């Protein structure tokens, strides 16, 4: 779709165009406000979030357990599906939803198991700064909006770079994310709302506890703040397994870690993550398929 065609497409949908304008105007204002705030305070000083005082061997076991669960949970459901149906067919909607719940539930159990089994008296709370639900929602929305210019900017540059490589003759396969295909292709209401619940409620809660409340907090006790943010964000991007969206997801992880560190409350990146996923679902549903990656 050319820029002219996209403009015509937006003009035919004034409500959606209004949402886009408000989103980008709000994101620009929030980005400038947050940038100024960080500049005034001299960077990420203050260290609001306490480190996770896990021993290196125990943290290694924690990562191994997560990786094994990523691999085994999907394999288990595929094997169960083949045993029940007796066919080598693609997973059904039920299997996909159950797989998502199983994956997220296992990740949450592993985090809670390691956190409480290896609990140290030196460990601080996940949220040293308490906030009301309304304040958490507002702060989470602010950090979400402030991050959008950076996230979209990185995604735009990366997509242009990959497209240029393709034009130069490099064979690069750029399939959309699995989540994009699921939302585009599902026709059953219960499947759609189950996937929406996974994307907007379950995944933000579990992934923020694991990646920010666990991995980031451990790394910041062992490395510098930039290294802790970058490493945890690289892991966050890698588990989603998509080349097209990898830099963008790493950038999301960086912004989530910064929001957590600045706010001192785990609810802030959870709300941020939930709003980001909800906004992504809206793009998937409303934009032409050829524009969604």
């Amino acid at each position: 779709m050319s820029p002219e065609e996209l403009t015509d497409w937006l003009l035919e949908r004034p409500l959606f165009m209004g949402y886009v304008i408000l989103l980008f105007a709000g994101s620009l204002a929030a980005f400038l406000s947050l940038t100024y705030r960080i500049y005034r305070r001299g960077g990420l000083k203050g260290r609001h979030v306490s480190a996770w005082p896990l021993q290196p061997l125990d943290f290694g076991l924690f990562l191994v357990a997560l990786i094994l669960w990523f691999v085994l949970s999907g394999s288990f459901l595929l094997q169960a599906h083949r045993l029940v149906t007796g066919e080598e067919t693609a997973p059904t909607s039920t299997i996909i939803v159950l797989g998502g719940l199983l994956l997220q539930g296992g990740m949450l159990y592993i985090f809670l198991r390691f956190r409480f089994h290896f609990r140290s008296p030196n460990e601080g709370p996940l949220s040293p700064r308490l906030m009301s639900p309304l304040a958490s929602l507002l702060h989470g929305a602010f950090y979400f909006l402030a991050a959008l210019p950076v996230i979209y900017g990185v995604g735009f540059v990366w997509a242009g770079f990959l497209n240029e490589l393709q034009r130069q003759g490099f064979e690069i396969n750029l399939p959309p994310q699995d989540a994009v295909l699921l939302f585009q292709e599902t026709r059953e209401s219960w499947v759609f709302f189950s996937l929406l619940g996974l994307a907007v409620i379950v995944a933000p809660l579990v992934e923020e506890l694991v990646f920010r409340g666990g991995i980031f907090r451990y790394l910041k006790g062992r490395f510098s703040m930039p290294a802790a943010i970058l490493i945890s964000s690289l892991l966050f991007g890698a588990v989603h397994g998509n080349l097209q969206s990898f830099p963008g997801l790493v950038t999301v992880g960086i912004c989530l870690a910064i929001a957590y560190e600045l706010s001192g409350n785990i609810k802030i990146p959870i709300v941020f993550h939930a709003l980001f996923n909800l906004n992504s679902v809206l793009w998937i549903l409303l934009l032409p398929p050829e524009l969604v990656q």
Side-chain angles (χ1 to χ4, degrees), residues 52 62 107-109 111-112 115 126-127 202-217 260 266-267 269-270 273:
W52 189 16
F62 172 66
M107 289 171 59
L108 180 61
Y109 172 79
F111 170 72
L112 294 176
R115 181 163 188 255
L126 281 172
S127 299
V202 179
L205 173 64
V206 174
E207 292 178 8
E208 291 314 302
L209 288 174
V210 170
F211 286 97
R212 257 56 66 180
I215 295 174
F216 166 68
R217 288 176 64 235
Y260 184 31
I266 192 64
K267 288 185 287 187
I270 291 174
H273 196 154

Side-chain angles (χ1 to χ4, degrees), residues 175-239:
Q177 295 185 65
D178 292 338
V180 172
L181 294 175
L182 287 173
F183 277 106
Q184 286 178 335
E185 296 174 358
T186 184
R187 296 294 180 267
E188 300 174 272
S189 296
W190 78 269
V191 175
F192 172 80
F193 286 108
S194 297
L195 293 172
L196 187 65
L198 279 169
V200 178
I201 299 174
V202 179
L205 173 64
V206 174
E207 292 178 8
E208 291 314 302
L209 288 174
V210 170
F211 286 97
R212 257 56 66 180
I215 295 174
F216 166 68
R217 288 176 64 235
Y218 171 82
L219 292 173
K220 72 171 290 187
R222 300 279 175 174
F223 303 97
S224 66
M225 179 69 71
I229 292 175
L230 180 59
I231 296 171
S232 62
S233 301
L234 287 170
L235 291 173
F236 176 73
V239 299

Side-chain angles (χ1 to χ4, degrees), residues 261-284:
E261 183 65 29
L262 290 177
S263 67
N265 192 302
I266 192 64
K267 288 185 287 187
I268 305 307
I270 291 174
V271 172
F272 173 167
H273 196 154
L275 291 175
F276 177 80
N277 284 1
L278 178 60
N279 182 63
S280 299
V281 172
L282 289 176
W283 289 137
I284 292 170

Side-chain angles (χ1 to χ4, degrees), residues 140-181:
F142 170 77
Y143 283 106
F144 157 68
L145 288 172
L148 284 184
V150 181
I151 295 169
Y152 288 157
V154 170
F156 179 79
V157 172
W158 180 245
F161 174 70
L162 292 179
N163 289 332
E164 181 60 29
L165 289 180
Q166 288 180 320
R167 282 194 292 268
Q168 295 298 326
F170 291 91
E171 295 184 4
I172 302 176
N173 186 25
L174 300 175
Q177 295 185 65
D178 292 338
V180 172
L181 294 175

Side-chain angles (χ1 to χ4, degrees), residues 22 56 80 84 86 95 101 106 116 129 210 221 230 238 268:
L22 287 175
V84 171
I95 292 295
L101 289 172
F116 290 107
R129 296 177 63 189
V210 170
L230 180 59
I268 305 307

Side-chain angles (χ1 to χ4, degrees), residues 64-142:
V64 169
L66 286 175
I67 293 170
L68 288 176
W69 186 249
F70 268 103
V71 176
L72 295 179
S73 60
S75 300
F76 170 77
L77 277 177
L78 287 176
Q79 292 300 324
H81 170 68
R82 289 165 182 165
L83 286 174
V84 171
T85 62
E87 300 176 357
E88 294 287 333
T89 57
T92 63
S93 300
T94 302
I95 292 295
I96 292 172
V97 171
L98 288 177
L101 289 172
L102 184 65
L103 174 62
Q104 298 290 336
M107 289 171 59
L108 180 61
Y109 172 79
I110 291 169
F111 170 72
L112 294 176
R113 179 70 178 174
F114 273 82
R115 181 163 188 255
F116 290 107
H117 183 75
F118 299 100
R119 192 67 182 262
S120 168
N122 299 322
E123 180 182 355
L126 281 172
S127 299
R129 296 177 63 189
L130 300 179
M131 291 185 185
S132 67
L134 178 59
S136 301
L137 178 61
L138 293 175
H139 280 77
F142 170 77

